[in-house]
Amino acid sequence: VSTQSTGGKYIFLSDIHYDPYYGTSEAFGPCVDNTYSTYGNKGCDAPLKLVTSTLNDITANYPNLPMILTGDWLRHDMKEVPNSQQDAVDAFATMTKLFANMTHVIPSPTLLTATLGNNDVVPDYYFDITNNNTSPHSLLGNMTQAMTNNSLLSVEEAATFSRCAMFSRTIDDLTFVVLNTLVWSRKLDPPINTTAITDPCGQFAFLRTALEQTKAGGRKAVLLSHIPPTLNLFDVLVLSKDDEYLVSSYLDQYSSILQEFNATLAAQFYGHTHELSVFGDPLFPAPGFVIPAITPNYDNDPSYLIGTYDGYFKDVTQRYFDRSDATWKSVTPTIDTILGPFDSTTSIRAAVMDMYFNDTNWDFFQQVHAGGIPHNLSLIHI
């Protein structure tokens, strides 16, 4: 599916974690009454007021830019609320309508290109791929319908999204390939025989076809998903457990396909950790970004990114919500000034190595990693 020109600029946001029960006894975390900020609080997920503030800021400052959302629309532990399945459907419908109501200022018919995350299912991490005759989980059909009803998916895109939350979309000269890395996760529920099932949902075949078509069309591909193909530092350093988010055999296949289509790849974007990071891993040969969260759950500042694609993503600005005065502000300088350029994995690795010896650059990374305001935020949350 192709859309009209955007001027090469995009909005990137992730991990909204909208909690319809914020401020009530059913809230996620300690925010169980009206004594907590209506814009959210450490240890809690995002109230509606924070979600609408985010979208209003985008509308006011970037009214003609399409948005990329790398998953986790919904709060953590949705299974703990009284009517978990229906409440998840209703909360997701609320979110799609909020995005759809922005379309009057967006020229593109596809305002939002979005993935699903591990908290967009009930219970968390649940995605049953073992029955090929039904929807992989009970919410996916309803989510697909809500996105289609609000013009966030075309009929063609909905056909693959309803099967495994994957689709591809072309905007200008970029093809965005939306994947569901949850099915490759070590925490997938119910667990699968990873030796017997070599291609869950047929997603590797889908990815290969999408990249072949992108290459044949002379375009570049941008990979979008939620759980990144990186180390799980929390499990490694705190729990002394698995060192990767994804199953090793699936990571190997993913890496092999990406290396085969190296020249076709422009970038890859994920979420999940709630904190901004960039990575330049030669095994996954495209500049990698982990988009920061809107939810302030880990005491991070809610933030999102704006970037321009011109051969590679540049002029990447972080916009953050200052909870001290409830206003949105921009970090200066642009992120790629310190952590880039983002033209190759080699450039990113060089910038990372420079932080070992450059305290100013390290301090800047800690600032943007935490959401925009320097504070003592752990570097290993997930």
Side-chain angles (χ1 to χ4, degrees), residues 62-348:
Y62 311 100
N64 298 316
L65 301 187
M67 291 173 288
I68 309 299
L69 171 61
T70 55
D72 274 2
W73 305 53
L74 304 182
R75 58 164 272 177
H76 295 82
D77 289 340
M78 202 71 181
K79 67 180 178 63
E80 300 300 331
V81 303
N83 301 297
S84 58
Q85 294 287 330
Q86 187 58 51
D87 285 352
V89 170
D90 293 343
F92 193 84
T94 295
M95 291 291 294
T96 58
K97 290 175 183 176
L98 287 174
F99 281 109
N101 287 339
M102 301 173 69
T103 57
H104 67 286
V105 294
I106 302 287
S108 168
T110 46
L111 158 72
L112 178 73
T113 303
T115 77
L116 292 187
N118 55 285
N119 296 124
D120 295 323
V121 291
V122 180
D124 296 348
Y125 287 93
Y126 183 83
F127 206 92
D128 188 357
I129 67 166
T130 60
N131 188 342
N132 293 326
N133 297 318
T134 63
S135 175
H137 68 86
S138 59
L139 298 182
L140 188 56
N142 289 313
M143 290 176 168
T144 303
Q145 192 63 55
M147 293 178 74
T148 305
N149 289 347
N150 287 287
S151 301
L152 302 179
L153 284 176
S154 70
V155 173
E156 178 185 354
E157 293 165 347
T160 52
F161 193 87
S162 63
R163 180 162 56 90
C164 200
M166 58 190 183
F167 69 96
S168 65
R169 168 182 295 166
T170 297
I171 304 176
D172 293 340
D173 294 327
L174 292 177
T175 294
F176 292 87
V177 183
V178 173
L179 300 173
N180 180 12
T181 47
L182 172 57
V183 301
W184 301 336
S185 171
R186 292 176 180 268
K187 296 182 180 180
L188 181 66
D189 177 25
I192 59 177
N193 184 331
T194 58
T195 300
I197 302 177
T198 59
D199 188 4
C201 284
Q203 189 164 230
F204 290 122
F206 168 82
L207 172 61
R208 178 177 292 280
T209 298
L211 292 178
E212 287 173 346
Q213 293 173 346
T214 302
K215 180 180 178 180
R219 300 183 300 274
K220 293 289 187 178
V222 176
L223 305 179
L224 306 176
S225 196
H226 182 66
I227 304 175
T230 58
L231 291 177
N232 182 342
L233 292 180
F234 181 85
D235 278 9
V236 171
L237 299 180
V238 177
L239 303 179
S240 299
K241 293 174 59 178
D242 298 326
D243 60 351
E244 297 164 332
Y245 291 114
L246 306 179
V247 174
S248 295
S249 60
Y250 297 152
L251 273 175
D252 290 344
Q253 287 193 70
Y254 191 38
S255 171
S256 178
I257 294 173
L258 267 55
Q259 291 186 64
E260 179 181 347
F261 290 93
N262 182 13
T264 302
L265 300 175
Q268 48 187 326
F269 293 87
Y270 306 90
H272 192 56
T273 72
H274 291 205
E275 298 157 356
L276 171 69
S277 62
V278 297
F279 61 94
D281 187 341
L283 294 178
F284 302 93
F289 303 81
V290 176
I291 306 302
I294 297 301
T295 179
N297 185 14
Y298 294 142
D299 203 25
N300 55 291
D301 300 301
S303 66
Y304 64 91
L305 305 181
I306 310 97
T308 301
Y309 182 77
D310 182 15
Y312 58 93
F313 282 95
K314 58 179 62 174
D315 300 327
V316 181
T317 299
Q318 185 176 38
R319 188 87 173 151
Y320 69 95
F321 185 74
D322 187 338
R323 288 174 286 168
S324 69
D325 59 10
T327 61
W328 287 88
K329 302 172 182 177
S330 295
V331 173
T332 55
T334 62
I335 290 173
D336 46 316
T337 301
I338 305 298
L339 304 182
F342 299 140
D343 57 345
S344 67
T345 57
T346 301
S347 295
I348 292 176

Side-chain angles (χ1 to χ4, degrees), residues 15-23 26-31 36-51 72-78 119 124 274 293-298 300 302 382:
D15 293 270
I16 297 175
H17 289 291
Y18 164 54
D19 186 358
Y21 283 99
Y22 183 90
E26 302 295 342
F28 175 78
C31 301
Y36 292 86
S37 169
T38 55
Y39 286 105
N41 198 79
K42 176 184 178 181
C44 306
D45 276 331
L48 184 61
K49 192 171 183 178
L50 177 59
V51 178
D72 274 2
W73 305 53
L74 304 182
R75 58 164 272 177
H76 295 82
D77 289 340
M78 202 71 181
N119 296 124
D124 296 348
H274 291 205
I294 297 301
T295 179
N297 185 14
Y298 294 142
N300 55 291
I382 60 169

